[in-house]
Amino acid sequence: MRSVSSSRIALSSAPLQRLGLRTVSTHSAQLIDMSKTRPLAGGDVISAKQFDKSSIEYVFKVAAGLKKEVERNGGVDLLKHRVLANVFMEPSTRTASSFHAAMLRLGGAVVPINELTSSAQKGETLEDTVRTMENYADVLVLRHPKVGSAATAAHYARIPVINAGDGQGEHPTQALLDLFLIHQERGSIDGASITLLGDLKYGRTVHSLSVMLALFPGIKINLVSPPNLAMPAEVVAEVKAKGITVTETADLDAVLSTTDVLYQTRVQKERFASLEEYEKSKGAYIITPATLSPAKKSLLLLHPFPRVDEITPDVDQDPRAMYFKQPQYGMYMRMALLASVLGKEGPVL
Ligand code: NCD
């Protein structure tokens, strides 16, 4: 267990309590201290709320440097002999693979764990899993179905913990890769009009993304969802507190023509109380080539994937479709985060 820092930020414990979870220290959600030479070294990545604009720009810079290294040499041995515990207690294709590939391209090794083969099946607690894995690894990436689980893991771990998705809570590394893509493809995030679409209630990617987007000047955020899948009020309040213009509507057409970035999401079937409730909500917004005809030529269409039916495959040929580029940016961003929390990013800056 690591000591509590005075620079911690208040993460709401309400979601933990709602889910009947014990509330533990939020020490891990420390604001990133940009006065340090290596600001993320030894820390955890748990919440979007830890970041300010300059710490996001810092990881962009590290990721861009690593991108060049991969393009030139296939990778760089910044984490030789370092081991990642890649603990995935929920299904994943992209996030698990991109952390795994990122660690390999940094010259490190990976111990993968998943929910089907781990002792979680036998009833082992997260605390015990973490306190075991830290003996084998230098950094731990965790995906888990419970909100607050990454903060719990960080509370018990001596090694840095990175949140790869905690239930319907947050997904900060996905938000960072999405922002990195927007930054690289558009030239800047400032002043963009962003439309988040679909299941904004249960979709953790859009929770983290909204909080980080609100740090950029001149941003306008449109939240488009059916009323029963609206963005949680606390996320909307956090964004508005930064002085950002937020429009909440169920009508995509009302905002599409002025949108610079359209972020589609999957209706999160696994988070609904009943299948019946899910059936009522699915298929609310399906993007087809016709949907995109009033949109800007310069639009960026993102989706964290997996997609079910939210974007029809005939949209894939549209140059505005960015969802097969996101995994590429994701690997560079995860390389940047792994190197940074281990304090090894220096040479590529
Ligand atoms: C997302 C997730 O797991 O939250 N996927 C991802 O990490 N790329 C989105 C989703 O599952 O719909």
Side-chain angles (χ1 to χ4, degrees):
M1 231 187 264
R2 277 166 294 161
S3 61
V4 175
S5 156
S6 57
S7 66
R8 74 186 191 188
I9 55 165
L11 276 186
S12 167
S13 60
L16 292 173
Q17 285 157 353
R18 265 204 304 278
L19 291 169
L21 287 180
R22 184 157 62 108
T23 308
V24 296
S25 159
T26 55
H27 83 282
S28 51
Q30 290 160 15
L31 276 170
I32 294 163
D33 182 355
M34 287 305 292
S35 68
K36 292 185 188 160
T37 319
R38 293 192 171 93
L40 278 82
D44 307 296
V45 178
I46 305 299
S47 168
K49 293 182 195 167
Q50 289 173 259
F51 288 81
D52 60 12
K53 189 169 185 266
S54 54
S55 52
I56 292 174
E57 284 165 352
Y58 180 84
V59 289
F60 284 177
K61 213 162 126 192
V62 179
L66 289 166
K67 180 173 184 282
K68 281 196 197 118
E69 292 288 343
V70 172
E71 285 162 358
R72 275 194 222 120
N73 307 312
V76 54
D77 280 352
L78 294 178
L79 298 185
K80 198 162 188 291
H81 300 309
R82 302 296 158 127
V83 174
L84 160 67
N86 212 23
V87 182
F88 276 73
M89 300 299 186
E90 263 192 348
S92 172
T93 298
R94 276 148 292 274
T95 309
S97 314
S98 73
F99 270 113
H100 196 133
M103 194 63 183
L104 298 181
R105 288 193 185 271
L106 289 165
V110 183
V111 177
I113 298 271
N114 71 56
E115 83 278 16
L116 298 176
T117 56
S118 74
S119 286
Q121 286 285 346
K122 302 178 188 170
E124 182 169 76
T125 63
L126 176 60
E127 171 187 343
D128 289 353
T129 304
V130 166
R131 293 173 76 181
T132 302
M133 295 312 293
E134 68 183 355
N135 295 292
Y136 313 138
D138 303 285
V139 52
L140 188 144
V141 168
L142 178 70
R143 168 166 292 187
H144 195 281
K146 284 181 181 161
V147 175
S149 53
T152 304
H155 177 75
Y156 290 109
R158 282 179 279 111
I159 58 175
V161 171
I162 300 178
N163 182 4
D166 63 329
Q168 64 194 64
E170 285 216 45
H171 198 344
T173 72
Q174 178 73 41
L176 286 168
L177 83 86
D178 295 331
L179 290 176
F180 186 43
L181 181 147
I182 298 166
H183 182 262
Q184 298 290 108
E185 298 287 333
R186 194 176 173 270
S188 166
I189 298 168
D190 299 355
S193 174
I194 319 267
T195 299
L196 306 179
L197 176 66
D199 184 351
L200 308 184
K201 178 180 180 184
Y202 297 119
R204 55 195 171 197
T205 64
V206 286
H207 301 164
S208 295
L209 186 57
S210 303
V211 169
M212 287 191 185
L213 278 169
L215 299 168
F216 290 84
I219 282 280
K220 191 176 173 307
I221 300 181
N222 305 308
L223 302 173
V224 183
S225 72
N228 63 324
L229 296 181
M231 184 66 85
E234 55 270 28
V235 178
V236 177
E238 172 90 23
V239 170
K240 284 187 176 166
K242 297 266 176 350
I244 300 299
T245 312
V246 178
T247 304
E248 290 188 86
T249 173
D251 180 10
L252 177 61
D253 292 337
V255 293
L256 184 59
S257 64
T258 55
T259 293
D260 297 305
V261 178
L262 178 59
Y263 195 95
Q264 171 66 308
T265 60
R266 175 177 69 91
V267 179
Q268 307 278 296
K269 184 178 181 181
E270 66 275 30
R271 315 253 181 247
F272 281 76
S274 71
L275 197 60
E276 200 187 348
E277 201 202 323
Y278 164 72
E279 296 291 340
K280 273 190 259 161
S281 308
K282 72 169 192 188
Y285 302 96
I286 294 179
I287 297 179
T288 67
T291 318
L292 292 181
S293 58
K296 291 185 182 180
K297 289 270 169 289
S298 58
L299 178 86
L300 300 178
L301 173 62
L302 279 71
H303 187 312
F305 267 37
R307 77 175 141 182
V308 182
D309 58 2
E310 313 82 45
I311 303 178
T312 57
D314 47 359
V315 176
D316 298 357
Q317 309 312 320
D318 191 309
R320 296 172 288 185
M322 290 288 129
Y323 35 87
F324 289 114
K325 276 194 175 179
Q326 279 166 277
Q328 199 185 105
Y329 286 102
M331 188 180 75
Y332 301 131
M333 179 49 67
R334 272 119 189 188
M335 288 176 78
L337 293 169
L338 290 169
S340 298
V341 296
L342 291 172
K344 297 285 183 191
E345 74 278 36
V348 295
L349 271 179

